[in-house]
């Protein structure tokens, strides 16, 4: 019975290798996420906080774009636009 269930599950999964473009996008996405996570802690340190947010949003875009996660594309664009406005107004 268990072998039949495993066979059904393995038939539903497509086994494939990721391309070089996807691998680079994943690494950029991890780095961008790290920048976005670091941003709040250095936001009060002058102009570097908003710049880190903008860079983090920008370098996270390829990963979410290739994954077609359009909600996260919108969030990253919002971060970049919002902190650009914040940086310009300060």
């Amino acid at each position: 019975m268990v072998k039949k269930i495993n066979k059904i599950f393995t038939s539903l999964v497509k086994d494939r290798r990721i391309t070089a473009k996807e691998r680079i996008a994943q690494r950029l996405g991890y780095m961008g996420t790290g920048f976005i996570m670091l941003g709040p802690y250095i936001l009060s340190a002058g102009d570097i906080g908003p710049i880190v947010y903008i860079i983090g949003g920008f370098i996270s875009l390829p990963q979410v774009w290739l994954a077609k996660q359009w909600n996260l594309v919108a969030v990253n664009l919002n971060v970049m636009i919002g902190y650009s406005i914040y940086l310009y107004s300060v």
Side-chain angles (χ1 to χ4, degrees), residues 3 9 18-23 27 29 31 34 38-40 48-49 53-54 63 66 68-69 73 75 80 85:
K3 288 185 179 184
F9 284 145
I18 62 173
T19 64
K21 180 171 57 171
E22 292 170 329
R23 192 174 300 119
R27 291 181 180 143
M31 188 161 62
L38 178 68
I48 191 70
Y53 265 120
I54 294 167
Q63 182 187 26
L66 286 176
K68 294 179 176 58
Q69 296 173 329
V73 171
V75 168
M80 291 173 12
I85 293 169

Side-chain angles (χ1 to χ4, degrees), residues 14-68:
K14 181 180 178 185
D15 189 24
R16 69 176 189 91
R17 298 180 61 103
I18 62 173
T19 64
K21 180 171 57 171
E22 292 170 329
R23 192 174 300 119
I24 290 170
Q26 281 183 352
R27 291 181 180 143
L28 283 174
Y30 291 135
M31 188 161 62
T33 301
F35 275 51
I36 291 172
M37 289 171 53
L38 178 68
Y41 300 105
I42 59 174
L43 195 57
S44 62
D47 290 344
I48 191 70
I51 292 171
V52 168
Y53 265 120
I54 294 167
I55 292 171
F58 182 73
I59 62 177
S60 294
L61 273 179
Q63 182 187 26
V64 295
W65 189 276
L66 286 176
K68 294 179 176 58

Side-chain angles (χ1 to χ4, degrees), residues 76-87:
N76 286 343
L77 289 174
N78 186 33
V79 164
M80 291 173 12
I81 293 168
Y83 279 104
S84 295
I85 293 169
Y86 173 78
L87 190 61

Side-chain angles (χ1 to χ4, degrees), residues 1-13:
M1 181 69 178
V2 173
K3 288 185 179 184
K4 285 184 179 182
I5 293 173
N6 284 341
K7 188 174 181 178
I8 291 170
F9 284 145
T10 55
S11 70
L12 296 174
V13 176

